[in-house]
Amino acid sequence: MIVTGLQIDDIPPAERFAAWRALCELAAIPMELRSDHEHDFRATVRGGMGLGEVMLTYTSVPSLRNERTAAHIRRSDPELYHLRLTLRGESDVCHGDGEATVGARQFMLTSTSVPYQAVCERGRVDGMTVTLRPSLLPFPVTELQRLIGRRLSGRSGIGAMLADFLTRLATESDRYGPADAPRLGAVAVDLLNALLAHELDAGAEACAENRLTPESRRRTLRLRIQEFVRQNLHRPGLSPVSIAAAHHISLRYLYRLFEEQGHTVSAWIRAQRLERCRHDLADPALGDTPIHVIAARWGFSHAADFSRAFRGAYGVPPRDFRRLALATNR
């Protein structure tokens, strides 16, 4: 995917804050910007990560106060929504009817059509922003207004899934090609809509879920199930039956969800377990841990079965893999 970046440190100190202002003006979202570091504004922005119909941007700034007033909105309003994920630091935000302090692993939904004020005065703040059109959010404007300016958790549940997904996109952007972008964007929108539906009250949530397309509901459910599996790989009793029961779906429907991705439930679980074992076997800190202990830790109760499965997946026995991996990591 195409990713563009601007390192403000590359610009003479006296010109850095002006460059940041100019960059914000290019986004067609005028606002007032002030900073205690205008004389030496050290900031970074990476943008242009187009994911189909959404855009992902990463920023890192020192102290910064930005305000978008009604006058700014009259000047230019692209009528977009932004979902901001804070990765480090804290911001005090006043938006719509909400006021909140947003910290690490927390989200906030904002609208370019609503006045906004954000203050970062307690150190550097790093974050990511998802930009998307209102048509991608299947909720009435009156419902979305209830979420505007509210702090949304990215530390557990669906929020954690979305935060992990966005973070990996930013850190592994070089691993994805142009053909991956629309699919990754669809996943991001599905998770975002699931998070917003979850945050609404029970009655509104039910209505919101019903407005999601069947394909979106299936993708979101599959992502929830995959996260559940990752959290429970250490349990030997993890099986398609227990997974279906935990998510209140039939075994047949569970099989169909995974068949759409080209693999069976059991094969996907085994691949995840093998990957965790492979990671641990290559870890020098676990070099003295017996192989059968590592295998058991990730749900393989029989050493012989684990050895066969590992060799089938990676082409070498686990003992040989460990020896080569540890020698390379020295």
Side-chain angles (χ1 to χ4, degrees), residues 56-126:
L56 187 62
T57 307
Y58 167 88
T59 57
S60 177
V61 298
S63 73
L64 184 67
R65 295 181 294 280
N66 54 348
E67 182 176 12
R68 181 165 163 80
T69 65
H72 290 124
I73 293 171
R74 288 193 295 272
R75 277 177 52 196
S76 176
D77 183 15
E79 299 183 353
L80 298 171
Y81 282 103
H82 291 149
L83 185 75
R84 170 76 175 179
L85 169 64
T86 299
L87 302 174
R88 182 180 69 163
E90 287 185 338
S91 302
D92 298 318
V93 182
C94 178
H95 187 52
D97 296 327
E99 291 186 35
T101 297
V102 185
R105 296 281 294 189
Q106 292 179 325
F107 291 101
M108 179 172 282
L109 181 69
T110 64
S111 167
T112 62
S113 304
V114 178
Y116 172 91
Q117 184 181 64
V119 180
C120 314
E121 292 184 324
R122 296 184 290 277
R124 180 167 290 274
V125 176
D126 300 346

Side-chain angles (χ1 to χ4, degrees), residues 8-330:
I8 297 295
D9 289 357
D10 297 337
I11 300 171
E15 301 175 15
R16 290 172 184 165
F17 192 66
W20 187 264
R21 283 179 180 273
L23 188 65
C24 293
E25 288 292 331
L26 287 175
I29 308 174
M31 62 182 67
E32 181 65 29
L33 299 174
R34 297 182 300 279
S35 175
D36 295 333
H37 294 81
E38 292 186 20
H39 62 288
D40 187 12
F41 192 73
R42 298 178 181 273
T44 301
V45 59
R46 292 199 302 272
M49 188 182 293
L51 303 175
E53 296 187 276
V54 303
M55 186 72 71
L56 187 62
T57 307
Y58 167 88
T59 57
S60 177
V61 298
S63 73
L64 184 67
R65 295 181 294 280
N66 54 348
E67 182 176 12
R68 181 165 163 80
T69 65
H72 290 124
I73 293 171
R74 288 193 295 272
R75 277 177 52 196
S76 176
D77 183 15
E79 299 183 353
L80 298 171
Y81 282 103
H82 291 149
L83 185 75
R84 170 76 175 179
L85 169 64
T86 299
L87 302 174
R88 182 180 69 163
E90 287 185 338
S91 302
D92 298 318
V93 182
C94 178
H95 187 52
D97 296 327
E99 291 186 35
T101 297
V102 185
R105 296 281 294 189
Q106 292 179 325
F107 291 101
M108 179 172 282
L109 181 69
T110 64
S111 167
T112 62
S113 304
V114 178
Y116 172 91
Q117 184 181 64
V119 180
C120 314
E121 292 184 324
R122 296 184 290 277
R124 180 167 290 274
V125 176
D126 300 346
M128 299 172 61
T129 301
V130 179
T131 302
L132 68 167
R133 293 178 289 101
S135 60
L136 295 176
L137 303 179
F139 310 99
V141 173
T142 53
E143 291 185 13
L144 286 175
Q145 286 176 342
R146 297 168 54 197
L147 299 179
I148 292 293
R150 272 183 50 191
R151 183 175 55 234
L152 308 176
S153 177
R155 299 171 180 173
S156 62
I158 298 172
M161 293 171 60
L162 177 57
D164 290 342
F165 178 75
L166 294 178
T167 302
R168 292 194 66 176
L169 281 180
T171 57
E172 301 177 357
S173 60
D174 58 334
R175 299 188 181 184
Y176 309 117
D180 298 317
R183 293 188 287 267
L184 293 170
V187 173
V189 171
D190 287 341
L191 283 173
L192 169 55
N193 283 326
L195 173 63
L196 298 181
H198 176 76
E199 293 292 337
L200 296 169
D201 61 38
E205 180 180 344
C207 293
E209 289 283 359
N210 288 335
R211 279 189 290 274
L212 297 177
T213 66
E215 182 181 0
S216 293
R217 286 199 296 271
R218 285 198 307 273
R219 280 200 298 258
T220 301
L221 176 58
R222 185 164 51 241
L223 288 166
R224 289 176 181 170
I225 290 171
Q226 289 174 341
E227 181 62 21
F228 173 84
V229 169
R230 292 188 185 98
Q231 296 297 324
N232 290 275
L233 287 172
H234 62 286
R235 300 181 183 276
L238 183 69
S239 68
V241 172
S242 66
I243 294 169
H247 291 82
H248 309 290
I249 60 176
S250 70
L251 192 59
R252 182 177 180 181
Y253 187 55
L254 176 67
Y255 287 148
R256 190 159 70 247
L257 284 174
F258 277 77
E259 286 170 358
E260 291 175 356
Q261 298 296 297
H263 43 239
T264 66
V265 183
S266 296
W268 193 83
I269 294 173
R270 185 171 59 252
Q272 295 300 306
R273 283 174 163 163
L274 286 169
E275 180 59 23
R276 297 295 180 90
C277 291
R278 187 195 67 80
H279 178 272
D280 285 358
L281 289 172
D283 187 349
L286 298 175
D288 294 331
T289 304
I291 291 176
H292 72 273
V293 172
I294 290 176
R297 178 183 297 166
W298 295 113
F300 290 99
S301 53
H302 300 290
D305 291 343
F306 165 68
S307 184
R308 283 195 296 271
F310 191 94
R311 182 166 188 166
Y314 301 110
V316 294
R319 189 178 305 278
D320 293 348
F321 172 84
R322 170 184 255 184
R323 185 176 63 254
L324 292 170
L326 293 182
T328 301
N329 290 332
R330 283 175 186 167

